[in-house]
């Protein structure tokens, strides 16, 4: 037998973390890493945050799982807090981002079904998008890399160029249910949509009775310096998928919707065995306790500005490698002039954890509660690695 015990779908790196503490991870031999990957934008309070850890421990010892057959005081409380701080009137809790996007897709289709337009099934999606790895979400993103060999893909999605409002408008027809878009693309290379594009999509939805569905699984939950990224575009969606940071490391996702958008989601139309269980709700509450404290988002913005300034100063010293920095808040991307894929493992070997993205970008996704000292250490590690890095022959 040569197959590995873990189904070999990931190119796993030699980093084998066994312990975490704040912005640091420790490997099996005790080696220390500065974690500016945060489990891909998940550990937004860093590792072992005492408030989050205690909330999970206490809840585990009280009540871990029941069923959505029963009333959920824990779910109602967290949903209400999310509603109080967002556009939403109602929330469906999931265990992952892909499930949150699935629920968002179903909600958008079901809206038109409930409104007597059952032919409106098609969501217009965008190039370089990432929405998860389920059949519907790989069909939505449409990239051949993800669908190859998994056909038939699901119908009901049409992909047009990201940030191109004319292309989005031209794709609207009688079968269109709405748009599904990441306000800041993550896997696609940390690419923020323009203001005109997001506002334009909102206007197209209003004019044509369509659903604006945002995938904020990566860019939401404080990552870009506001609770959700849409706030910075001066618009509100009809439906939004959240996950990653929402549980701070505990598996949790959520599909948020307005009352109008959720008008088709009646009893029996959707469900999840684990979704919204007491343990996940405790984690979600603990994360909100911290990020809704006065000044937290200001801290994210301030650290994001510092980090960006420091990078803008340092990157030109290695201009054979780096083109520049882009993104918002603490969701930044360093665009490289060379292949970013081998650079990321090199950084890991130097004790710095980051994530690659498409378009030769290296993602900078630190915990949101980092301090200036972490930024200083990051810049030192990155700059010394850049100095020593030998670009592999193509
Ligand atoms: C990570 C991600 C997903 C999928 O989340 P999973 O928890 O891996 O299912 C969906 N959309 C975006 C934008 C993501 O970054």
């Amino acid at each position: 037998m040569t197959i590995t015990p873990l189904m070999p779908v990931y190119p796993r790196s030699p980093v084998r973390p066994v312990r975490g503490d704040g912005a640091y991870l420790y490997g099996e031999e005790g080696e220390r890493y500065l974690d500016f990957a945060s489990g891909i934008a998940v550990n937004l309070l860093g590792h072992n945050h005492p408030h989050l850890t205690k909330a999970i421990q206490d809840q585990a010892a009280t009540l871990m799982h029941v069923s959505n057959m029963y009333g959920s005081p824990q779910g109602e409380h967290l949903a209400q807090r999310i509603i109080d701080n967002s556009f939403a009137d109602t929330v469906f809790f999931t265990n992952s981002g892909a499930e949150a996007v699935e629920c968002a897709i179903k909600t958008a289709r079901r809206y038109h079904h409930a409104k007597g337009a059952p032919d409106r099934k098609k969501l217009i999606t965008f190039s370089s998008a990432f929405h998860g790895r389920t059949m519907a979400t790989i069909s939505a993103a449409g990239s051949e890399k993800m669908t190859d060999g998994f056909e038939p893909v699901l119908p009901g999605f049409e992909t047009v160029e990201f940030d191109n409002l004319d292309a989005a408008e031209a794709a609207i027809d009688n079968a269109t249910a709405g748009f599904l878009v990441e306000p800041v693309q993550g896997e696609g290379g940390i690419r923020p949509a323009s203001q005109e594009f997001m506002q334009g999509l909102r206007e197209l939805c209003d004019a044509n009775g369509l659903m604006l569905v945002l995938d904020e699984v990566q860019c939401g939950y404080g990552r870009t310096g506001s609770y959700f990224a849409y706030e910075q575009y001066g618009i509100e969606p009809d439906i939004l998928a959240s996950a990653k940071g929402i549980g701070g490391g505990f598996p949790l996702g959520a599909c948020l919707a307005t009352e109008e958008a959720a008008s088709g989601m009646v009893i029996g139309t959707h469900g999840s065995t684990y979704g919204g269980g007491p343990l996940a709700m405790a984690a979600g509450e603990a994360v909100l306790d911290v990020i809704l404290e006065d000044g937290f988002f200001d801290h994210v913005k301030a650290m994001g500005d510092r980090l960006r300034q420091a990078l803008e100063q340092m990157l030109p010293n290695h201009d054979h490698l780096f083109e520049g920095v882009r993104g918002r808040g603490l969701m930044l991307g360093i665009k490289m002039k060379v292949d970013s894929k081998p650079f990321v493992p090199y950084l890991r070997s130097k004790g710095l954890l980051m994530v690659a993205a498409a378009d030769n970008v290296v993602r900078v996704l630190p915990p949101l509660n980092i301090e200036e000292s972490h930024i200083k250490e990051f810049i030192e590690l990155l700059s010394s690695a850049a100095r020593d890095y030998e670009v592999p022959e193509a």
Side-chain angles (χ1 to χ4, degrees), residues 179-199:
F179 298 103
L180 169 60
V181 62
E182 295 160 86
V184 184
Q185 287 192 334
E187 308 296 312
I190 310 290
R191 301 204 299 159
S194 65
Q195 189 81 14
E196 302 72 51
F197 180 67
M198 293 304 292
Q199 277 179 355

PDB file of all heavy atoms in Angstrom, residues 179-199:
ATOM      1  N   PHE A 179     -26.011  37.868  -8.539  1.00  0.00           N
ATOM      2  CA  PHE A 179     -24.549  37.801  -8.624  1.00  0.00           C
ATOM      3  C   PHE A 179     -23.997  37.151  -7.361  1.00  0.00           C
ATOM      4  O   PHE A 179     -24.510  37.390  -6.268  1.00  0.00           O
ATOM      5  CB  PHE A 179     -23.948  39.206  -8.737  1.00  0.00           C
ATOM      6  CG  PHE A 179     -24.368  39.958  -9.963  1.00  0.00           C
ATOM      7  CD1 PHE A 179     -25.325  40.966  -9.891  1.00  0.00           C
ATOM      8  CD2 PHE A 179     -23.796  39.666 -11.196  1.00  0.00           C
ATOM      9  CE1 PHE A 179     -25.714  41.656 -11.026  1.00  0.00           C
ATOM     10  CE2 PHE A 179     -24.182  40.360 -12.339  1.00  0.00           C
ATOM     11  CZ  PHE A 179     -25.140  41.361 -12.248  1.00  0.00           C
ATOM     12  N   LEU A 180     -22.956  36.368  -7.528  1.00  0.00           N
ATOM     13  CA  LEU A 180     -22.221  35.810  -6.398  1.00  0.00           C
ATOM     14  C   LEU A 180     -20.782  36.304  -6.518  1.00  0.00           C
ATOM     15  O   LEU A 180     -20.099  35.993  -7.498  1.00  0.00           O
ATOM     16  CB  LEU A 180     -22.254  34.277  -6.431  1.00  0.00           C
ATOM     17  CG  LEU A 180     -21.317  33.531  -5.475  1.00  0.00           C
ATOM     18  CD1 LEU A 180     -21.605  33.865  -4.010  1.00  0.00           C
ATOM     19  CD2 LEU A 180     -21.420  32.017  -5.699  1.00  0.00           C
ATOM     20  N   VAL A 181     -20.322  37.085  -5.527  1.00  0.00           N
ATOM     21  CA  VAL A 181     -19.017  37.736  -5.679  1.00  0.00           C
ATOM     22  C   VAL A 181     -18.308  37.899  -4.334  1.00  0.00           C
ATOM     23  O   VAL A 181     -18.945  38.143  -3.307  1.00  0.00           O
ATOM     24  CB  VAL A 181     -19.184  39.115  -6.386  1.00  0.00           C
ATOM     25  CG1 VAL A 181     -20.043  40.075  -5.562  1.00  0.00           C
ATOM     26  CG2 VAL A 181     -17.835  39.747  -6.716  1.00  0.00           C
ATOM     27  N   GLU A 182     -16.975  37.749  -4.362  1.00  0.00           N
ATOM     28  CA  GLU A 182     -16.128  38.099  -3.216  1.00  0.00           C
ATOM     29  C   GLU A 182     -15.750  39.587  -3.349  1.00  0.00           C
ATOM     30  O   GLU A 182     -15.096  39.953  -4.320  1.00  0.00           O
ATOM     31  CB  GLU A 182     -14.819  37.305  -3.245  1.00  0.00           C
ATOM     32  CG  GLU A 182     -14.921  35.809  -3.089  1.00  0.00           C
ATOM     33  CD  GLU A 182     -13.650  35.122  -3.626  1.00  0.00           C
ATOM     34  OE1 GLU A 182     -12.680  34.998  -2.880  1.00  0.00           O
ATOM     35  OE2 GLU A 182     -13.656  34.736  -4.814  1.00  0.00           O
ATOM     36  N   PRO A 183     -16.099  40.425  -2.386  1.00  0.00           N
ATOM     37  CA  PRO A 183     -15.701  41.838  -2.464  1.00  0.00           C
ATOM     38  C   PRO A 183     -14.178  41.998  -2.521  1.00  0.00           C
ATOM     39  O   PRO A 183     -13.669  42.901  -3.198  1.00  0.00           O
ATOM     40  CB  PRO A 183     -16.250  42.448  -1.181  1.00  0.00           C
ATOM     41  CG  PRO A 183     -17.360  41.539  -0.754  1.00  0.00           C
ATOM     42  CD  PRO A 183     -16.959  40.169  -1.210  1.00  0.00           C
ATOM     43  N   VAL A 184     -13.462  41.135  -1.797  1.00  0.00           N
ATOM     44  CA  VAL A 184     -12.010  41.063  -1.945  1.00  0.00           C
ATOM     45  C   VAL A 184     -11.678  39.600  -2.213  1.00  0.00           C
ATOM     46  O   VAL A 184     -11.886  38.750  -1.354  1.00  0.00           O
ATOM     47  CB  VAL A 184     -11.264  41.535  -0.678  1.00  0.00           C
ATOM     48  CG1 VAL A 184      -9.756  41.521  -0.925  1.00  0.00           C
ATOM     49  CG2 VAL A 184     -11.729  42.921  -0.239  1.00  0.00           C
ATOM     50  N   GLN A 185     -11.202  39.309  -3.418  1.00  0.00           N
ATOM     51  CA  GLN A 185     -10.869  37.921  -3.729  1.00  0.00           C
ATOM     52  C   GLN A 185      -9.665  37.475  -2.909  1.00  0.00           C
ATOM     53  O   GLN A 185      -8.667  38.198  -2.819  1.00  0.00           O
ATOM     54  CB  GLN A 185     -10.555  37.769  -5.223  1.00  0.00           C
ATOM     55  CG  GLN A 185     -11.788  37.867  -6.100  1.00  0.00           C
ATOM     56  CD  GLN A 185     -11.512  37.430  -7.532  1.00  0.00           C
ATOM     57  OE1 GLN A 185     -10.375  37.505  -8.003  1.00  0.00           O
ATOM     58  NE2 GLN A 185     -12.552  36.980  -8.216  1.00  0.00           N
ATOM     59  N   GLY A 186      -9.771  36.295  -2.317  1.00  0.00           N
ATOM     60  CA  GLY A 186      -8.682  35.765  -1.497  1.00  0.00           C
ATOM     61  C   GLY A 186      -7.773  34.856  -2.295  1.00  0.00           C
ATOM     62  O   GLY A 186      -6.669  35.245  -2.684  1.00  0.00           O
ATOM     63  N   GLU A 187      -8.250  33.629  -2.580  1.00  0.00           N
ATOM     64  CA  GLU A 187      -7.445  32.657  -3.330  1.00  0.00           C
ATOM     65  C   GLU A 187      -7.020  33.226  -4.680  1.00  0.00           C
ATOM     66  O   GLU A 187      -5.962  32.899  -5.188  1.00  0.00           O
ATOM     67  CB  GLU A 187      -8.234  31.356  -3.571  1.00  0.00           C
ATOM     68  CG  GLU A 187      -8.855  30.732  -2.339  1.00  0.00           C
ATOM     69  CD  GLU A 187      -7.836  30.271  -1.327  1.00  0.00           C
ATOM     70  OE1 GLU A 187      -6.874  29.588  -1.708  1.00  0.00           O
ATOM     71  OE2 GLU A 187      -8.000  30.605  -0.142  1.00  0.00           O
ATOM     72  N   GLY A 188      -7.864  34.085  -5.235  1.00  0.00           N
ATOM     73  CA  GLY A 188      -7.596  34.665  -6.556  1.00  0.00           C
ATOM     74  C   GLY A 188      -6.441  35.652  -6.553  1.00  0.00           C
ATOM     75  O   GLY A 188      -6.077  36.169  -7.606  1.00  0.00           O
ATOM     76  N   GLY A 189      -5.902  35.971  -5.370  1.00  0.00           N
ATOM     77  CA  GLY A 189      -4.707  36.828  -5.335  1.00  0.00           C
ATOM     78  C   GLY A 189      -4.907  38.148  -4.606  1.00  0.00           C
ATOM     79  O   GLY A 189      -4.271  39.137  -4.961  1.00  0.00           O
ATOM     80  N   ILE A 190      -5.740  38.165  -3.571  1.00  0.00           N
ATOM     81  CA  ILE A 190      -5.990  39.396  -2.780  1.00  0.00           C
ATOM     82  C   ILE A 190      -6.301  40.563  -3.725  1.00  0.00           C
ATOM     83  O   ILE A 190      -5.512  41.491  -3.899  1.00  0.00           O
ATOM     84  CB  ILE A 190      -4.807  39.749  -1.844  1.00  0.00           C
ATOM     85  CG1 ILE A 190      -4.377  38.527  -1.023  1.00  0.00           C
ATOM     86  CG2 ILE A 190      -5.181  40.906  -0.924  1.00  0.00           C
ATOM     87  CD1 ILE A 190      -5.341  38.070   0.051  1.00  0.00           C
ATOM     88  N   ARG A 191      -7.445  40.435  -4.355  1.00  0.00           N
ATOM     89  CA  ARG A 191      -7.832  41.476  -5.308  1.00  0.00           C
ATOM     90  C   ARG A 191      -9.132  42.129  -4.862  1.00  0.00           C
ATOM     91  O   ARG A 191     -10.205  41.525  -4.958  1.00  0.00           O
ATOM     92  CB  ARG A 191      -8.001  40.868  -6.705  1.00  0.00           C
ATOM     93  CG  ARG A 191      -6.710  40.218  -7.180  1.00  0.00           C
ATOM     94  CD  ARG A 191      -6.634  40.132  -8.664  1.00  0.00           C
ATOM     95  NE  ARG A 191      -7.701  39.325  -9.236  1.00  0.00           N
ATOM     96  CZ  ARG A 191      -8.099  39.402 -10.495  1.00  0.00           C
ATOM     97  NH1 ARG A 191      -7.556  40.291 -11.307  1.00  0.00           N
ATOM     98  NH2 ARG A 191      -9.038  38.611 -10.936  1.00  0.00           N
ATOM     99  N   PRO A 192      -9.052  43.356  -4.326  1.00  0.00           N
ATOM    100  CA  PRO A 192     -10.276  44.049  -3.930  1.00  0.00           C
ATOM    101  C   PRO A 192     -11.045  44.506  -5.164  1.00  0.00           C
ATOM    102  O   PRO A 192     -10.459  45.048  -6.102  1.00  0.00           O
ATOM    103  CB  PRO A 192      -9.766  45.272  -3.153  1.00  0.00           C
ATOM    104  CG  PRO A 192      -8.307  45.046  -2.916  1.00  0.00           C
ATOM    105  CD  PRO A 192      -7.835  44.130  -4.008  1.00  0.00           C
ATOM    106  N   ALA A 193     -12.348  44.277  -5.172  1.00  0.00           N
ATOM    107  CA  ALA A 193     -13.185  44.836  -6.238  1.00  0.00           C
ATOM    108  C   ALA A 193     -13.177  46.350  -6.107  1.00  0.00           C
ATOM    109  O   ALA A 193     -12.974  46.889  -5.017  1.00  0.00           O
ATOM    110  CB  ALA A 193     -14.610  44.301  -6.107  1.00  0.00           C
ATOM    111  N   SER A 194     -13.390  47.047  -7.213  1.00  0.00           N
ATOM    112  CA  SER A 194     -13.456  48.508  -7.153  1.00  0.00           C
ATOM    113  C   SER A 194     -14.798  48.933  -6.581  1.00  0.00           C
ATOM    114  O   SER A 194     -15.785  48.189  -6.611  1.00  0.00           O
ATOM    115  CB  SER A 194     -13.267  49.091  -8.555  1.00  0.00           C
ATOM    116  OG  SER A 194     -14.361  48.698  -9.366  1.00  0.00           O
ATOM    117  N   GLN A 195     -14.807  50.156  -6.071  1.00  0.00           N
ATOM    118  CA  GLN A 195     -16.026  50.779  -5.555  1.00  0.00           C
ATOM    119  C   GLN A 195     -17.125  50.802  -6.627  1.00  0.00           C
ATOM    120  O   GLN A 195     -18.271  50.451  -6.375  1.00  0.00           O
ATOM    121  CB  GLN A 195     -15.656  52.216  -5.151  1.00  0.00           C
ATOM    122  CG  GLN A 195     -16.721  52.946  -4.395  1.00  0.00           C
ATOM    123  CD  GLN A 195     -16.705  52.559  -2.923  1.00  0.00           C
ATOM    124  OE1 GLN A 195     -15.753  51.965  -2.436  1.00  0.00           O
ATOM    125  NE2 GLN A 195     -17.781  52.882  -2.233  1.00  0.00           N
ATOM    126  N   GLU A 196     -16.726  51.200  -7.851  1.00  0.00           N
ATOM    127  CA  GLU A 196     -17.706  51.322  -8.943  1.00  0.00           C
ATOM    128  C   GLU A 196     -18.331  49.959  -9.254  1.00  0.00           C
ATOM    129  O   GLU A 196     -19.522  49.866  -9.540  1.00  0.00           O
ATOM    130  CB  GLU A 196     -17.034  51.857 -10.229  1.00  0.00           C
ATOM    131  CG  GLU A 196     -16.336  53.200 -10.089  1.00  0.00           C
ATOM    132  CD  GLU A 196     -15.050  53.118  -9.278  1.00  0.00           C
ATOM    133  OE1 GLU A 196     -14.195  52.253  -9.588  1.00  0.00           O
ATOM    134  OE2 GLU A 196     -14.892  53.890  -8.315  1.00  0.00           O
ATOM    135  N   PHE A 197     -17.508  48.938  -9.208  1.00  0.00           N
ATOM    136  CA  PHE A 197     -17.991  47.598  -9.526  1.00  0.00           C
ATOM    137  C   PHE A 197     -19.025  47.147  -8.499  1.00  0.00           C
ATOM    138  O   PHE A 197     -20.130  46.713  -8.857  1.00  0.00           O
ATOM    139  CB  PHE A 197     -16.805  46.628  -9.558  1.00  0.00           C
ATOM    140  CG  PHE A 197     -17.174  45.208  -9.881  1.00  0.00           C
ATOM    141  CD1 PHE A 197     -17.659  44.854 -11.132  1.00  0.00           C
ATOM    142  CD2 PHE A 197     -17.025  44.207  -8.929  1.00  0.00           C
ATOM    143  CE1 PHE A 197     -17.985  43.531 -11.431  1.00  0.00           C
ATOM    144  CE2 PHE A 197     -17.341  42.885  -9.212  1.00  0.00           C
ATOM    145  CZ  PHE A 197     -17.830  42.554 -10.472  1.00  0.00           C
ATOM    146  N   MET A 198     -18.694  47.259  -7.211  1.00  0.00           N
ATOM    147  CA  MET A 198     -19.613  46.778  -6.172  1.00  0.00           C
ATOM    148  C   MET A 198     -20.893  47.603  -6.162  1.00  0.00           C
ATOM    149  O   MET A 198     -21.995  47.066  -6.031  1.00  0.00           O
ATOM    150  CB  MET A 198     -18.934  46.811  -4.798  1.00  0.00           C
ATOM    151  CG  MET A 198     -17.791  45.822  -4.632  1.00  0.00           C
ATOM    152  SD  MET A 198     -18.233  44.097  -4.952  1.00  0.00           S
ATOM    153  CE  MET A 198     -19.326  43.797  -3.582  1.00  0.00           C
ATOM    154  N   GLN A 199     -20.747  48.917  -6.294  1.00  0.00           N
ATOM    155  CA  GLN A 199     -21.950  49.753  -6.326  1.00  0.00           C
ATOM    156  C   GLN A 199     -22.768  49.488  -7.577  1.00  0.00           C
ATOM    157  O   GLN A 199     -23.992  49.469  -7.541  1.00  0.00           O
ATOM    158  CB  GLN A 199     -21.565  51.233  -6.214  1.00  0.00           C
ATOM    159  CG  GLN A 199     -21.359  51.584  -4.751  1.00  0.00           C
ATOM    160  CD  GLN A 199     -20.943  53.023  -4.505  1.00  0.00           C
ATOM    161  OE1 GLN A 199     -20.704  53.784  -5.444  1.00  0.00           O
ATOM    162  NE2 GLN A 199     -20.840  53.373  -3.234  1.00  0.00           N
TER     163      GLN A 199
END
